[in-house]
Amino acid sequence: MSQTIATPPTVRLDSDVIGKPINRTDGPAKVSGAAKYAAEFGVTGPLWYGYIVNSPVAKGKITKIHADEVLAIQGVHKVFSHENVPSFAWFDRAYKDDVAPGGSPFRPLHEPEIMFSQQPVVLVVAETFELARYAASVLRIEYDVEEHNTDLNSVIGEAFDAPRGKTGFVPPPKPKGDMNKAFAEAPHKVAGEYIHRAQHHNPMEMFATTVDWLGDGKKMKIYDKTQGAPNVQQYLAKIFGLSTDEARVISKFTGGGFGSGLRPQYQVFLAVMAALELEHSIRVVMTRSQMFSFGHRPHTLQKLRIATDEQGHIQALEHKALAETSHFENATETVVNWSGILYNSPNTNFDYQLSKIDVFTPLDMRAPGAATGNFASESAIDEMAYKAGLDPLDFRLLNYTYTDPTENKPFTSKRLDDCLHEGAARFGWDQRNPEPRSMRDGNLLVGWGVASGCWDASMQKAAAKAVLSADGHLTVSSATNDQGAGTYVIMTQMAAQTLGLPMEQVTFNLGDTEMPAAPVQGGSWTANSVGAAVQNACQEVGKKLLKLAQKMDNSPLDGVDFEDAQFVDGHIRANEDITRSVAIEDILAASGESKIEAEGKAGPNPINMLKYSMHSHNAAFVEVKVDEDLGTIHVTRVVNAVAAGRILNPKTARSQVLGGTVWGLSMALMEETYLNNDLGRYMNHNYAEYHIPVNADIHKIDVIFVEEEDDIASPIGVKGVGEIGMLGVAAAIANAVYHATGKRVRELPLTSDKLL
Amino acid sequence: MNSFTLTQATAADEAVRDNTSHDGAAYLGGGTNLVDLMKYNLERPSHLTSLGLLPLTDITTLPGGGLRLGALATNADTAWHPEVEARYPLLSQTILAGATPQLRNAATNGGNLNQRTRCYYFYDLATPCNKREPGSGCSALTGPNRVCGVLGTSESCIATQPSDMCVALAALEAVVRVQGPDGERTIKFDDYHRLPGDHPEKDNTLNPGELVVSIDLPAEGYADHFTYLKLRDRSSYAFALVSVAVGLKMNGNTIEKARFALGGVAHKPWRDQEAEKMLEGQTASPDLFRQVAAKVFAEAKGYGEGSLHNSFKIELGKRAIVRALKQATEMSQVVNPNVFLNSNP
């Protein structure tokens, strides 16, 4: 039986911190530069630098590497390639990380064959970064070039059903009823095709690894840019045959990940390989253009068909998707399921297929699959509402479902209706004239759009350790990650709340494989999973404290069970009589213990998972202003109402939703990696030409949290907010553009040329 | 980046001597473009003549009422100079539409003229590019080319000159003063940048060793009727898809004199003097503007359809001209419409 967080007392106390907008505990370190990222750590001895060389061709074979020419340069120590890479591990399985999709993972420098443009082919190691970069620039490599194909449109005929096997991938729901018949007979119907091409994560921090070679056997401290140190550790341990003691992976701060750091990237392989071979400390940092050389949100083609009866009730719903994958792995996302979760239809059909092209394997990117599917389905729903003669908001409420139709299970909680109502009220939706092209601001067309979204409220296995020292300071640790989500502060809050200590008396550490294991930071599951583990570890410390308190002479807590005690304001008190109270510092002093420690664990509840559907929801309302002559679109107002269970920290949660909203806007209006099919290569591989919003593109964003009480989805009532804020936004923008202009654009990004 | 030597010159003639006495030498101004290109290994000078100490940072009034912009004055100092703001607001706005404050603080006026294209293929050593490597081919002709040009292109190259400032300088009919091994000469702005033809590796008409020392503006700054309309993929820190700089002299609703230039569409700031003449002596009207826009793009050639390819720039360019001329005649919207200022914050 899981315990919920201690009930807040009637009088608010300093230690009652859950739900408060508390500043990030890591904020000062970040803004002062004290926070160290992977490429900033010093090492014990001298440091060498590795520079990666990537393939200019998309397919072929390396025939000659003129390594001798650069090895002649003083200070260049090694040119690693398939010709001399040590044979650490040859089995695919060793290269599988926690979140690898099915197939055969990419093995860097393993063979002369080139499978995608920008494939890493060489690591040059030299005494300085500049020298390594120079040597890499003059290294001559000869290739036999073969014909490649990177055009998804040309391989639609080779599509195959997406296989299972990847963590988090849910296959399309089973069909219901007779889709074709229902669609044919329905009075109102829409059908459309939706497209977006590849997008790259582009976190600010480049992928980087600093290996501190400790000179004691194979012992290394590996500072890596990742969203999960334990995942990197097990990957390295399997490939290089290292013990966990030898491969200690550290990732204290992560300058954004958005999914790019879920899988170990090739620079960590190269850095550790070079360190082991040269028995030397080494640093490898990717360039910005190399940030386009691995996973991305896949180019996806979608088809939607929806039909309603005369009153607007959905009678038929079909959602099909075809996504790219590489020739060596089957990257899968959950794309088409979400429309089926949001709307009940007696007749449905869902389909999700892959086709292979000569690119690197796609990789989960913020709200993977959902952002893709949601844009298409919520655009189609808007179109359907218009066809049925209903307001798009009313249409969503008319077709609201309290159970998950894809699994015929009740939701643990679902306050999407309140999101729609409260969001509409805040936005002023009732002032909307539904007629397209009816609203203006001077010479600009004004459009208001709405869309809703959902995301999994999921939990993974996680562990944490809590240590209360004799001076009363609580240190909690877990090998989780903070890519900017606010993990540091919410876990500190969780620990402080559980043991009733002030925030200043609590430190939360993360990102080190010497700490208890945690999953990669993704899927919006960190707050829930690690939060529950932290609570559990602190409760275990609390139980020990209570026992120690009861050993004190004339203990006022004599006979009080843990379940009947509360930890508040530095004291343990009896629930029934709060005057029966002992200060924690007194317990520590009386006990004579130097520290009290405990480990805690959390994990999914399989019985609840069988019985319930667990999701967060949101509703995004958007205002756009369109200069029709020039095709320019500005998103002048967004209201994003989110129902994601309990909000641990409204400040960091709001930041997450703001970030998600900006991501949605970015996907809607700007993001696209330009693939040149002649060259088989992404061409806008830099921040100047891969456009994401600047401050001037972002106007008013209003975040509403519709709190839900839900102790089934999570022992701490949390659903997570990492992805949900992004959903709905892109579709709401496209819907608003329709309302403004009367034009339905089904291809992202909505660049000005599409409105001319 | 390769190894290079560096000399700090203190005078223009000394800089020219230094530059011409070294093989593979380049001038280093603010470094906001050259240093990037060196890091990308696209430019590999073996010697740099640093211009940082040259006394060419002043902005001074010329006899006859013009204004001389020192080649080493920064873009930021130029944009915010009181004389520029008051008499050449078109130039000021145009500079401020480009890059970021940080870049404008470092970038120099001379360097702005000499910045290289932002064509994706020029920037990627793995791809054929005639501008970077003559004879290797042009990847942009068939590949994604949203950033590329539709006017004055050749089968060798469809790259664009990326500057905003230069678009205004073209409209203002600036004159570039250069110093070379054989002394000083002046180049009309229209003649400074060139079309790609068969030699896209040459961006401009400078001779080897020549150094820009100033940019001279004529007395007329069109402060009463001007606009810079820049259309781009986001509100800041993006190169123009299409931009239009306009300067007009009006008498009532009659256009007495018209100068305009386009950015983002050609290998140089694009001026069409015949189109300018179509405006002069005429009453401003949307029909007239549309005729002018049609004339400018009459010979335009797009390279592929869809948003990754640039044919859309022909229609967008026409619309941009019509809008820019309207803005300049009416002075109704001096704020760039591509940057939306929320009226109800």
Side-chain angles (χ1 to χ4, degrees):
Chain A
M1 174 69 200
S2 59
Q3 261 217 325
T4 50
I5 301 163
T7 314
T10 46
V11 181
R12 289 193 80 82
L13 296 156
D14 288 345
S15 61
D16 187 28
V17 291
I18 291 293
K20 278 191 181 172
I22 294 171
N23 288 342
R24 289 166 192 264
T25 48
D26 52 326
K30 279 182 172 167
V31 297
S32 67
K36 280 195 178 176
Y37 293 80
E40 298 179 321
F41 283 91
V43 296
T44 38
L47 180 64
W48 289 349
Y49 294 81
Y51 196 88
I52 303 160
V53 180
N54 302 75
S55 168
V57 304
K59 197 171 179 191
K61 192 172 177 180
I62 300 170
T63 53
K64 175 92 180 136
I65 298 174
H66 297 269
D68 47 335
E69 295 173 7
V70 302
L71 287 167
I73 302 168
Q74 184 161 7
V76 175
H77 287 289
K78 189 86 180 178
V79 174
F80 286 105
S81 70
H82 70 278
E83 291 177 350
N84 61 0
V85 70
S87 54
F88 291 114
W90 292 95
F91 297 109
D92 271 2
R93 205 172 26 175
Y95 289 79
K96 286 256 185 197
D97 62 274
D98 277 357
V99 284
S104 172
F106 174 62
R107 290 172 285 181
L109 311 192
H110 187 260
E111 58 213 353
E113 280 74 23
I114 303 300
M115 298 184 287
F116 56 95
S117 189
Q118 280 200 302
Q119 177 174 322
V121 292
V122 159
L123 183 77
V124 180
V125 179
E127 285 175 14
T128 66
F129 169 75
E130 289 77 10
L131 191 59
R133 181 174 62 179
Y134 170 72
S137 77
V138 296
L139 176 63
R140 291 189 302 133
I141 305 174
E142 295 173 32
Y143 298 87
D144 263 351
V145 182
E146 291 168 34
E147 208 169 308
H148 62 262
N149 185 2
T150 53
D151 182 4
L152 180 62
N153 290 311
S154 73
V155 291
I156 291 173
E158 295 162 29
F160 57 96
D161 287 342
R164 292 166 185 253
K166 180 174 165 290
T167 305
F169 172 60
V170 184
K174 291 193 167 49
K176 282 195 279 196
D178 187 335
M179 173 67 206
N180 286 334
K181 182 165 180 285
F183 188 80
E185 291 171 357
H188 304 301
K189 60 190 84 175
V190 295
E193 297 189 18
Y194 300 80
I195 300 169
H196 72 71
R197 284 173 284 268
Q199 301 165 5
H200 279 76
H201 308 71
N202 274 299
M204 193 109 79
E205 184 196 9
M206 248 69 90
F207 276 87
T209 305
T210 301
V211 180
D212 186 0
W213 182 259
L214 299 173
D216 171 17
K218 291 180 183 174
K219 270 188 100 165
M220 291 171 280
K221 270 198 234 172
I222 300 159
Y223 300 99
D224 190 39
K225 187 238 164 85
T226 174
Q227 287 172 235
N231 188 32
V232 173
Q233 184 188 47
Q234 64 88 22
Y235 170 83
L236 296 172
K238 281 193 294 183
I239 293 172
F240 298 112
L242 299 167
S243 68
T244 52
D245 188 41
E246 288 166 332
R248 177 180 173 191
V249 179
I250 298 167
S251 176
K252 292 306 211 183
F253 294 97
T254 302
F258 316 116
S260 63
L262 290 173
R263 302 186 69 184
Q265 291 306 347
Y266 59 78
Q267 95 290 342
V268 71
F269 171 93
L270 295 173
V272 170
M273 174 203 68
L276 285 166
E277 280 300 286
L278 301 170
E279 301 192 341
H280 203 281
S281 293
I282 191 157
R283 174 172 298 156
V284 179
V285 184
M286 284 195 194
T287 63
R288 177 56 62 190
S289 95
Q290 285 166 346
M291 296 292 286
F292 290 75
S293 65
F294 48 88
H296 52 275
R297 193 191 297 280
H299 180 183
T300 307
L301 312 170
Q302 297 180 75
K303 290 181 182 177
L304 261 294
R305 287 197 298 164
I306 308 177
T308 69
D309 62 17
E310 289 292 354
Q311 293 75 37
H313 298 103
I314 297 174
Q315 296 302 308
L317 169 64
E318 180 176 71
H319 193 168
K320 295 176 163 185
L322 169 65
E324 55 159 314
T325 190
S326 68
H327 276 285
F328 47 97
E329 284 175 311
N330 292 319
T332 48
E333 300 179 321
T334 308
V335 174
V336 298
N337 310 39
W338 310 97
S339 46
I341 295 169
L342 279 175
Y343 303 101
N344 197 1
S345 170
N347 304 285
T348 61
N349 187 34
F350 301 96
D351 189 39
Y352 173 59
Q353 294 193 308
L354 303 177
S355 276
K356 291 177 181 288
I357 53 174
D358 293 309
V359 294
F360 192 88
T361 310
L363 175 60
D364 284 352
M365 179 163 149
R366 201 167 194 174
T372 298
N374 180 270
F375 158 67
S377 62
E378 285 297 291
S379 296
I381 287 287
D382 193 76
E383 198 172 348
M384 188 70 253
Y386 271 92
K387 276 279 172 68
L390 288 167
D391 178 283
L393 177 66
D394 296 340
F395 184 81
R396 285 174 171 81
L397 291 166
L398 180 71
N399 285 286
Y400 198 81
T401 175
Y402 290 93
T403 55
D404 175 351
T406 66
E407 298 189 337
N408 286 321
K409 293 179 197 170
F411 293 104
T412 53
S413 55
K414 179 184 175 184
R415 289 189 65 194
L416 174 59
D417 47 355
D418 291 319
C419 290
L420 288 162
H421 289 305
E422 289 186 31
R426 183 79 62 90
F427 188 84
W429 187 260
D430 60 348
Q431 300 299 305
R432 179 179 184 266
N433 180 339
E435 190 63 31
R437 305 181 61 82
S438 63
M439 293 168 66
R440 282 179 182 270
D441 173 11
N443 60 352
L444 300 174
L445 292 167
V446 176
W448 288 1
V450 63
S452 44
C454 65
W455 181 252
D456 298 318
S458 67
M459 192 169 201
Q460 304 282 321
K461 279 185 187 171
K465 182 177 176 180
V467 181
L468 185 63
S469 60
D471 65 0
H473 196 89
L474 176 67
T475 304
V476 183
S477 58
S478 172
T480 182
N481 177 262
D482 189 345
Q483 51 173 322
T487 313
Y488 274 107
V489 65
I490 60 172
M491 296 308 156
T492 310
Q493 288 171 263
M494 182 61 69
Q497 178 84 39
T498 307
L499 283 179
L501 297 171
M503 287 286 284
E504 313 80 72
Q505 239 168 286
V506 181
T507 302
F508 180 73
N509 292 322
L510 56 72
D512 188 330
T513 51
E514 294 201 334
M515 298 169 180
V520 293
Q521 182 162 64
S524 297
W525 58 54
T526 300
N528 186 2
S529 313
V530 181
V534 165
Q535 186 196 44
N536 185 243
C538 292
Q539 285 171 340
E540 292 306 313
V541 168
K543 286 176 189 168
K544 291 184 179 180
L545 276 174
L546 179 60
K547 277 190 184 151
L548 290 170
Q550 288 167 341
K551 284 185 189 163
M552 292 166 74
D553 293 341
N554 303 319
S555 175
L557 297 173
D558 202 28
V560 175
D561 289 339
F562 179 71
E563 285 70 23
D564 299 324
Q566 53 181 254
F567 290 73
V568 176
D569 209 18
H571 289 69
I572 308 179
R573 315 190 298 204
N575 280 342
E576 289 191 352
D577 177 3
I578 61 171
T579 62
R580 291 175 61 191
S581 166
V582 184
I584 288 175
E585 60 184 33
D586 294 341
I587 302 171
L588 288 166
S591 74
E593 303 272 354
S594 66
K595 61 181 179 183
I596 296 162
E597 62 179 65
E599 290 223 10
K601 285 189 164 56
N605 180 324
I607 295 167
N608 284 348
M609 287 171 69
L610 280 176
K611 281 161 64 178
Y612 298 99
S613 177
M614 305 177 185
H615 288 91
S616 54
H617 293 86
N618 79 324
F621 296 81
V622 162
E623 175 183 85
V624 299
K625 293 188 178 173
V626 179
D627 188 322
E628 197 178 25
D629 289 342
L630 304 176
T632 55
I633 300 168
H634 293 281
V635 176
T636 49
R637 223 155 45 92
V638 180
V639 173
N640 200 340
V642 174
R646 169 183 285 189
I647 300 304
L648 296 175
N649 181 330
K651 189 166 191 172
T652 53
R654 177 173 176 273
S655 293
Q656 281 279 65
V657 175
L658 289 178
T661 305
V662 172
W663 265 69
L665 185 153
S666 189
M667 179 181 186
L669 300 183
M670 295 174 200
E671 286 196 54
E672 175 162 27
T673 320
Y674 306 158
L675 180 56
N676 181 317
N677 287 320
D678 298 339
L679 300 165
R681 190 170 174 91
Y682 297 114
M683 288 317 308
N684 53 338
H685 43 71
N686 58 65
Y687 266 176
E689 298 300 336
Y690 184 93
H691 297 119
I692 57 172
V694 295
N695 285 337
D697 294 306
I698 304 302
H699 299 279
K700 196 171 183 201
I701 302 174
D702 211 341
V703 177
I704 297 171
F705 287 112
V706 175
E707 291 223 17
E708 295 166 322
E709 284 192 24
D710 189 337
D711 60 0
I712 305 171
S714 155
I716 56 173
V718 169
K719 289 181 174 177
V721 289
E723 336 277 333
I724 189 66
M726 183 177 177
L727 297 169
V729 178
I733 290 171
N735 296 341
V737 168
Y738 170 74
H739 181 229
T741 65
K743 281 183 188 161
R744 268 296 160 201
V745 183
R746 300 185 182 87
E747 179 182 337
L748 295 183
L750 261 157
T751 44
S752 55
D753 50 280
K754 299 188 180 74
L755 289 184
L756 293 182
Chain B
M1 189 188 281
N2 57 315
S3 294
F4 57 87
T5 53
L6 183 140
T7 307
Q8 284 272 13
T10 54
D13 52 351
E14 181 199 342
V16 171
R17 273 199 306 278
D18 179 72
N19 191 266
T20 49
S21 64
H22 289 85
D23 284 337
Y27 290 114
L28 176 67
T32 55
N33 191 215
L34 179 60
V35 175
D36 280 0
L37 294 169
M38 289 169 70
K39 286 181 176 174
Y40 278 113
N41 203 33
L42 302 176
E43 300 270 12
R44 305 177 191 94
S46 51
H47 180 76
L48 291 179
T49 307
S50 172
L51 307 174
L53 300 179
L54 262 59
L56 297 173
T57 55
D58 287 347
I59 292 174
T60 50
T61 307
L62 290 167
L67 197 67
R68 171 161 291 173
L69 312 175
L72 272 299
T74 67
N75 288 177
D77 285 346
T78 306
W80 298 113
H81 191 278
E83 284 282 303
V84 176
E85 283 193 282
R87 294 177 50 209
Y88 304 94
L90 171 61
L91 178 62
S92 187
Q93 279 199 4
T94 308
I95 294 172
L96 296 177
T100 64
Q102 295 89 334
L103 286 166
R104 296 193 296 264
N105 283 340
T108 63
N109 291 337
N112 193 305
L113 268 54
N114 294 330
Q115 65 181 297
R116 309 216 64 192
T117 185
R118 293 287 166 164
C119 180
Y120 322 121
Y121 307 97
F122 177 74
Y123 262 82
D124 188 338
L125 280 165
T127 68
C129 168
N130 287 324
K131 183 179 275 297
R132 179 166 34 76
E133 202 180 325
S136 62
C138 175
S139 307
L141 289 173
T142 53
N145 54 26
R146 188 174 171 83
V147 80
C148 294
V150 294
L151 287 167
T153 52
S154 76
E155 289 303 298
S156 297
C157 182
I158 60 172
T160 53
Q161 208 278 345
S163 168
D164 291 296
M165 181 186 186
C166 288
V167 185
L169 293 175
L172 291 168
E173 299 182 297
V175 171
V176 184
R177 253 175 77 241
V178 303
Q179 187 162 341
D182 304 325
E184 232 181 78
R185 68 175 179 122
T186 56
I187 307 171
K188 287 198 291 186
F189 206 83
D190 282 345
D191 298 332
Y192 186 84
H193 296 101
R194 52 186 299 286
L195 291 178
D198 294 332
H199 288 285
E201 72 279 8
K202 269 185 78 64
D203 292 349
N204 56 46
T205 54
L206 287 177
N207 293 317
E210 279 187 326
L211 171 70
V212 177
V213 291
S214 77
I215 299 156
D216 294 352
L217 302 177
E220 180 55 70
Y222 308 98
D224 293 332
H225 290 278
F226 69 93
T227 204
Y228 185 59
L229 173 64
K230 180 178 180 181
L231 302 174
R232 45 185 154 174
D233 281 328
R234 63 181 162 198
S235 297
S236 178
Y237 193 54
F239 295 95
L241 294 167
V242 174
S243 71
V244 188
V246 182
L248 302 175
K249 283 198 68 160
M250 304 280 296
N251 183 357
N253 204 27
T254 303
I255 299 167
E256 290 189 334
K257 189 175 177 188
R259 294 291 179 269
F260 69 90
L262 276 69
V265 293
H267 199 256
K268 61 187 290 187
W270 188 262
R271 254 187 89 194
D272 186 327
Q273 297 191 33
E274 288 176 36
E276 289 171 354
K277 285 203 184 76
M278 287 169 68
L279 290 162
E280 292 181 347
Q282 303 298 312
T283 304
S285 75
D287 273 350
L288 175 64
F289 298 161
R290 278 194 284 271
Q291 287 164 25
V292 168
K295 159 69 183 76
V296 172
F297 283 93
E299 311 268 307
K301 178 172 167 46
Y303 293 84
E305 302 301 320
S307 62
L308 300 191
H309 295 87
N310 72 359
S311 293
F312 74 89
K313 284 190 175 184
I314 297 172
E315 178 61 25
L316 185 64
K318 289 180 194 170
R319 293 180 184 207
I321 289 175
V322 172
R323 175 66 64 85
L325 288 170
K326 180 175 189 288
Q327 285 179 193
T329 50
E330 297 173 1
M331 287 303 280
S332 53
Q333 188 167 10
V334 290
V335 173
N336 192 327
N338 196 227
V339 178
F340 187 87
L341 299 176
N342 212 342
S343 50
N344 44 341

